[in-house]
Amino acid sequence: MTKSAPLITSLIFQSIFSQQNVGIMTQNPEEKLHISGVSNIINSNLGNTGLALITPTIRVDGLNINNNPTAFEGANTVAPLYADSNGDLSVKKGIEAFGNYILPGQDALVNSTILNVVANYNYHLTGNLLSTTFNLKQRSVVYISSNISIEIQNTAGGTITDGKPRAISALLLFTSAPASSGIPVNITYTSESIVYSNRTPSSINGYFKLAPTSEIVLPAGTYTVALRGAGAAGNNSPAEDFRVIWGGGTGDKLNVLAKPL
């Protein structure tokens, strides 16, 4: 028996290397690594996803929370698994929220801003109504969403009744970005605008909403994005001068979400 052991061991290893596929819970692996077994639904969820945990599963200690503390919020959270061009696996945080993330129904602006517009065909700008800085660890899809309430008045704070058009815009722009991103700094990146005119004193009064948004792929680095307001009117000052109240309503926000690629 002792003399035959090396022969048996040799035959086993020859079988493994000639087969070139490794199987777990299967004697006929069909891939380089083939994990088999009956898929059973366990009476528990996968983290806090609400999805039922299904076996069999794979555990890789190098991907756990101890080795990737920034990828997990806590013991019950899950993170996406990524493979790079070399086939190396890693976990990322997935979608991340930046800045003071504003949930639906909340309001990011406590104090409103008044923009006095002189009618000279030129746009007049506010400073930053909202601003947030975010850092990308790797190339990511970035979603920028905003919402700003506006109220349009004559210079005395009353209703405009001259029927002349006024242009009002909400602007998103990057105030800082890595040179490698190719993003122009302090130049409007995207905007949403309306043209307002009114002739009757009994017009609808209240707040309008502007919500410029953007989706962009950005490389790793630190960025700052800001929301500003602008207004313009024809060259008939002071008769067509007006003012815009920014952020006096509810639901004002500037949110940034990023998903690693």
Side-chain angles (χ1 to χ4, degrees), residues 5-190:
L7 177 60
I8 294 173
T9 303
S10 175
L11 290 174
I12 292 174
F13 277 101
Q14 286 179 9
S15 174
I16 291 175
F17 287 119
S18 64
Q19 185 172 323
Q20 295 185 343
N21 292 342
V22 177
I24 299 176
M25 297 182 69
T26 177
Q27 294 182 352
N28 298 297
E30 298 178 7
E31 297 291 345
K32 296 299 182 184
L33 176 61
H34 185 168
I35 299 175
S36 186
V38 179
S39 296
N40 297 318
I41 297 178
I42 299 177
N43 293 326
S44 62
N45 291 336
L46 182 61
N48 61 358
T49 63
L51 301 175
L53 182 63
I54 300 176
T55 58
T57 187
I58 302 172
R59 174 171 293 184
V60 181
D61 286 346
L63 302 177
N64 65 21
I65 188 172
N66 294 328
N67 294 301
N68 301 273
T70 61
F72 297 91
E73 303 258 342
N76 292 324
T77 61
V78 295
L81 179 66
Y82 292 87
D84 65 14
S85 58
N86 295 318
D88 295 329
L89 300 179
S90 61
V91 288
K92 304 297 179 185
K93 194 170 183 179
I95 291 182
E96 297 186 68
F98 296 97
N100 296 319
Y101 190 77
I102 305 302
L103 296 172
Q106 295 182 342
D107 193 1
L109 284 175
V110 177
N111 300 315
S112 58
T113 297
I114 296 177
L115 175 66
N116 294 303
V117 180
V118 177
N120 60 3
Y121 284 129
N122 296 317
Y123 269 98
H124 298 263
L125 300 172
T126 68
N128 292 348
L129 301 172
L130 291 167
S131 178
T132 187
T133 298
F134 57 97
N135 180 263
L136 301 177
K137 302 298 184 182
Q138 69 176 74
R139 183 171 176 266
S140 304
V141 179
V142 177
Y143 306 88
I144 305 172
S145 65
S146 67
N147 198 53
I148 187 72
S149 56
I150 61 171
E151 187 175 8
I152 306 162
Q153 302 174 342
N154 61 29
T155 54
T159 302
I160 293 174
T161 58
D162 61 8
K164 301 295 181 64
R166 274 91 172 167
I168 300 94
S169 300
L171 318 172
L172 287 177
L173 65 157
F174 288 85
T175 57
S176 67
S180 60
S181 68
I183 294 294
V185 175
N186 293 319
I187 297 174
T188 300
Y189 184 77
T190 189

